[in-house]
Amino acid sequence: MTLDIIGKRRWWYTFSGILFVASIAVIALFGFRLGIDFIEGSLIELHVSSARPDVSVFQEVLSAQGLEGSLVQHLGDTDVMIRTKPLDNTAHVSLLSALQEKIGADNFQELRFETVGPTISSELRIKSINMIFAVALAIVLY
């Protein structure tokens, strides 16, 4: 059995073009799900030394602090990552003390706290999106 790929090249060009246009349409309609580096926000990484509480425990504390919609993810068996809207130092300390009350002061340790501001995030977002389109164009031209 032989495949006549070259003889059907117009069909393959058409198929490739349809996939390319569909990809661009999906990106235009739904956009990209950008991480904290591309949108402003804060990231807190915690190491839990005792039995790791369920995500709902963290969500409850975050809701009580006015941080609804924050993302809580388990990292491995003992770490937890929390992504929130941008936190200043006061809100950060308040959140940590609320977590200490709920989980216990000796049961967790903060490994990392980062805040990305709006200027850096918009700059990164614009540069990244431009590079995605430049790479897509280079692939098409190749």
Side-chain angles (χ1 to χ4, degrees):
M1 178 175 148
T2 60
L3 295 174
D4 186 21
I5 295 173
I6 301 299
K8 302 211 187 276
R9 70 181 176 273
R10 288 192 177 107
W11 185 89
W12 289 110
Y13 289 150
T14 304
F15 180 70
S16 177
I18 289 170
L19 287 179
F20 178 75
V21 170
S23 299
I24 297 299
V26 167
I27 290 171
L29 287 173
F30 299 109
F32 295 106
R33 186 171 179 184
L34 302 174
I36 196 167
D37 297 336
F38 301 101
I39 56 174
E40 59 181 319
S42 294
L43 177 120
I44 301 169
E45 191 173 332
L46 305 172
H47 174 76
V48 182
S49 56
S50 62
R52 181 180 61 193
D54 191 42
V55 170
S56 61
V57 173
F58 291 100
Q59 291 289 359
E60 182 182 317
V61 172
L62 290 164
S63 294
Q65 293 288 313
L67 298 170
E68 293 87 3
S70 297
L71 177 67
V72 179
Q73 290 180 313
H74 291 299
L75 302 174
D77 294 332
T78 58
D79 294 347
V80 176
M81 182 175 60
I82 303 171
R83 295 177 190 227
T84 68
K85 64 183 182 182
L87 298 176
D88 59 5
N89 198 31
T90 307
H92 173 236
V93 170
S94 173
L95 176 60
L96 287 180
S97 57
L99 285 169
Q100 286 175 350
E101 289 176 21
K102 188 71 172 180
I103 300 171
D106 297 334
N107 291 337
F108 76 91
Q109 169 188 354
E110 183 179 34
L111 299 177
R112 180 170 62 153
F113 174 69
E114 297 175 4
T115 297
V116 176
T119 304
I120 295 171
S121 64
S122 80
E123 196 175 301
L124 275 172
R125 181 175 44 240
I126 291 168
K127 286 182 179 181
S128 298
I129 291 172
N130 287 340
M131 289 309 298
I132 287 171
F133 287 115
V135 167
L137 180 63
I139 290 170
V140 168
L141 292 176
Y142 176 72

